[in-house]
Amino acid sequence: MESNTQPTLINPAELFNPGPYGFSHSISIESPSQMCFISGQSGGVGENHELADDFKTQVQDALKNLKIVLKSHDMTFENIVKITLLIVDHNQEKLEIWADEAKKVWHHSFLPTSTLIPVSQLALPGMLFEIDAIAVKN
């Protein structure tokens, strides 16, 4: 059986079009496992893709967006093997908020590897949180 090693770009219709900004929401590679590389997801899941003002809502919204991308690859949070978190003005309170929200989506014993990077700002004014991921499915 020959596997497809060509990357497949998947940009779910429920999310904004990232093309004008020079990236894709995700890329999938099957060889022999399917690997999915997911761009940073942030808040703004509403009809107008507006960012919430508070950190907790932005984390929840980013996880909703991540779930949309995973679903477009027929994957779930259980398929994620690596995440990178970008947090504006990181502090202990924000870390606790992240940990509480993460427990809601990774409620099992297999947790992804993780890197947290404190930053002074992200791509858009008011953006406080971003998460990217690598997911694998056999």
Side-chain angles (χ1 to χ4, degrees), residues 11-24:
N11 292 302
E14 299 93 339
L15 301 178
F16 74 95
N17 177 5
Y21 304 101
F23 72 97
S24 293

Side-chain angles (χ1 to χ4, degrees), residues 59-113:
V59 169
Q60 292 169 337
D61 288 349
L63 290 171
K64 287 177 190 174
N65 283 345
L66 182 55
K67 184 177 180 178
I68 289 169
V69 176
L70 288 165
K71 185 176 179 183
S72 73
H73 291 273
D74 194 29
M75 293 185 182
T76 68
F77 284 96
E78 284 75 24
N79 295 104
I80 293 177
V81 296
K82 171 76 171 99
I83 57 174
T84 303
L85 310 172
L86 302 168
I87 298 177
V88 172
D89 299 326
H90 172 66
N91 58 36
Q92 187 63 32
E93 179 185 356
K94 289 179 178 176
L95 183 60
E96 290 171 10
I97 289 170
W98 161 250
D100 288 343
E101 295 304 316
K103 289 174 190 172
K104 294 175 185 175
V105 296
W106 283 287
H107 47 277
H108 54 82
S109 60
F110 183 80
L111 298 172
T113 59

Side-chain angles (χ1 to χ4, degrees), residues 6-73:
Q6 290 297 110
T8 302
L9 303 177
I10 298 180
N11 292 302
E14 299 93 339
L15 301 178
F16 74 95
N17 177 5
Y21 304 101
F23 72 97
S24 293
H25 283 294
S26 61
I27 296 175
S28 184
I29 300 172
E30 294 185 37
S31 179
S33 297
Q34 178 184 1
M35 295 180 67
C36 180
F37 301 85
I38 302 170
S39 289
Q41 298 298 311
S42 60
V45 296
E47 194 171 292
N48 298 320
H49 301 290
E50 295 174 0
L51 286 168
D53 292 333
D54 67 290
F55 181 78
K56 181 176 181 175
T57 303
Q58 284 197 25
V59 169
Q60 292 169 337
D61 288 349
L63 290 171
K64 287 177 190 174
N65 283 345
L66 182 55
K67 184 177 180 178
I68 289 169
V69 176
L70 288 165
K71 185 176 179 183
S72 73
H73 291 273

